[in-house]
């Protein structure tokens, strides 16, 4: 079988790839109870576990597998592992830090099995697994205490250690890609990138995917109309901050809908020497925190990105479902992908 990194690099040169949609939105449809989140080993765990969606990869793997399958049937080329909160840091609230490696390994293994199943059915459309690495619930750049601006609830080294454990679990479980996503603090992302480099070095994995390494995707979050991340960076500053690594792709996700995301995505499309991704929310949330934008409306807004040749990878974040991904996959088939080689040439001419 062809090396999966080589296959991914070959595939993205020929067409736009489709990422999956929201995991949490789909899990909510199951109306699960506290018992659904408890494995036999956690039967008497003292803390409430409901809402710890990553834990479902151990307690209800059939549900996670079914969700992956729905997204693949809708046309996703890449599915994300159920590991958004899969670090020991994020699991502290549930008293489950000790399960971090196991959560990542199990989640990657589930996604790998379903992706392989669909690739076997249609080898002309290979499916890939992206190991999702969320931002954690701590920030390395901002104090959580307004009375002590210099205080930090987490250190760079603590973040890097937690991310390294997550990376090992994702790789051992079979992830094809590492996706550092929903970045609101670039220092957190730098800790994740440092951890990835560290693990790659210990396992003799090249950093550059063109040299056989595991591709790294980076996706930031513009938090509001100011056009900045929570830690204060503009889109261009964010791009510069992570460009020291030979990334597979850079992009934006979450926080905003497609319409609001467009000006910031254009910055990446114009300046990034990597492939560009976008997976926005299904519009902006309503007063109840729900997302009302339908599949057709979202696809119509994202079609403008494709008409302008801005994207290589598209998908959905909060509020999106297989219906949204199905609509996005249809429009993706009608357009050519953003040409990275041309952007590199233009950049060299401008130097």
């Amino acid at each position: 079988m062809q090396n999966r990194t080589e296959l991914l690099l070959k595939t993205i040169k020929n067409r736009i790839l489709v990422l999956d949609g929201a995991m949490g939105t789909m899990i909510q449809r199951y109306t699960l109870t506290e018992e659904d989140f408890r494995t036999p080993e956690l039967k008497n765990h003292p803390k409430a576990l409901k809402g710890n969606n990553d834990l479902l990869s151990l307690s209800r793997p059939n549900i996670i597998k079914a969700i992956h399958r729905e997204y693949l049937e809708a046309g996703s080329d890449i599915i994300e592992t159920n590991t958004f909160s899969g670090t020991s840091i994020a699991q502290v609230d549930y008293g489950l830090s000790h399960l971090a490696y196991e959560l990542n390994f199990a989640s990657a293994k589930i996604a790998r099995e379903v992706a392989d199943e669909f690739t076997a059915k249609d080898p002309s459309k290979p499916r890939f697994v992206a190991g999702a690495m969320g931002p954690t619930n701590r920030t390395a750049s901002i104090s959580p205490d307004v009375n002590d601006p210099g205080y930090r609830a987490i250190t760079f080294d603590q973040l890097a250690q937690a991310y390294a454990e997550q990376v090992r679990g994702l790789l051992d479980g079979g992830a094809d890609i590492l996706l550092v996503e929903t970045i609101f603090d670039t220092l957190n992302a730098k800790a994740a990138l440092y951890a990835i480099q560290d693990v790659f070095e210990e396992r003799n994995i090249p950093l550059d995917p063109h040299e056989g390494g595991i591709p790294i995707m980076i996706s930031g979050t513009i938090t509001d109309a100011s056009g900045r991340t929570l830690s204060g960076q503009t889109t261009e500053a964010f791009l510069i901050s992570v460009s020291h690594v030979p990334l597979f792709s850079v992009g934006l996700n979450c926080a905003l809908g497609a319409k609001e995301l467009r000006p910031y995505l254009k910055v990446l499309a114009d300046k990034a020497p990597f492939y560009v991704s976008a997976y926005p929310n299904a519009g902006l949330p309503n007063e109840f925190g729900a997302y009302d934008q339908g599949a057709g409306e979202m696809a119509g807004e994202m079609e403008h990105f494709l008409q302008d040749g801005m994207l290589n990878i598209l998908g959905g974040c909060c509020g999106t479902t297989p219906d949204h991904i199905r609509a996005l996959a249809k429009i993706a088939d009608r357009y050519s992908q953003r040409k990275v080689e041309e952007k590199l040439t233009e950049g060299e001419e401008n130097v």
Side-chain angles (χ1 to χ4, degrees), residues 41-101:
E41 294 78 13
L42 296 174
K43 183 179 179 181
N44 298 314
H45 189 72
K47 292 194 174 185
L49 300 177
K50 185 179 178 182
N52 186 2
N53 289 343
D54 296 33
L55 191 53
L56 293 171
S57 294
L58 299 179
S59 64
R60 295 296 301 276
N62 57 314
I63 289 177
I64 304 305
K65 189 171 283 192
I67 292 171
H68 285 322
R69 189 170 281 117
E70 283 194 65
Y71 279 125
L72 290 169
E73 287 171 347
S76 292
D77 298 290
I78 304 170
I79 53 173
E80 294 184 56
T81 56
N82 179 39
T83 52
F84 186 80
S85 299
T87 56
S88 56
I89 293 168
Q91 288 295 319
V92 165
D93 293 345
Y94 296 100
L96 297 179
S97 295
H98 63 288
L99 290 182
Y101 174 87

Side-chain angles (χ1 to χ4, degrees), residues 6-7 67 85 109 126 134 136 157 165 170 196 207 247 249 257 297 306 312 329:
E6 291 178 9
L7 187 56
I67 292 171
S85 299
K109 190 170 183 290
T136 81
D157 288 346
E165 181 180 30
L170 291 170
I196 291 170
L207 191 58
L247 302 174
S249 71
E297 185 182 355
L306 305 184
N312 303 97

Side-chain angles (χ1 to χ4, degrees), residues 12 19 80 177-186 189 193 216-223 227-229 233-240 242-243 245 247-256 261-281 302 305 310-315 317 338 340:
I12 201 167
L19 196 64
E80 294 184 56
I177 303 162
L178 293 174
L179 169 55
V180 183
E181 65 170 343
T182 321
I183 298 163
F184 60 80
D185 182 346
T186 309
L193 290 171
I216 302 167
M217 296 175 66
I218 285 278
S219 186
T221 293
I222 302 298
T223 53
R228 294 174 181 268
T229 63
Q233 283 191 311
T234 63
T235 308
E236 185 172 3
F238 165 69
L239 172 63
I240 292 168
V242 297
S243 291
V245 173
L247 302 174
F248 174 66
S249 71
V250 65
L252 298 171
N253 76 291
C254 202
L256 305 176
L261 202 64
R262 185 173 182 176
Y264 316 117
L265 192 62
K266 189 175 189 311
V267 173
L268 295 182
D270 288 345
K271 298 180 180 295
F274 316 112
Y275 294 116
V276 169
S277 69
Y279 52 112
N281 293 342
M302 292 195 74
F305 300 164
M310 294 164 65
L311 289 181
N312 303 97
I313 304 166
L314 81 165
C317 203
R338 172 179 171 272
V340 177

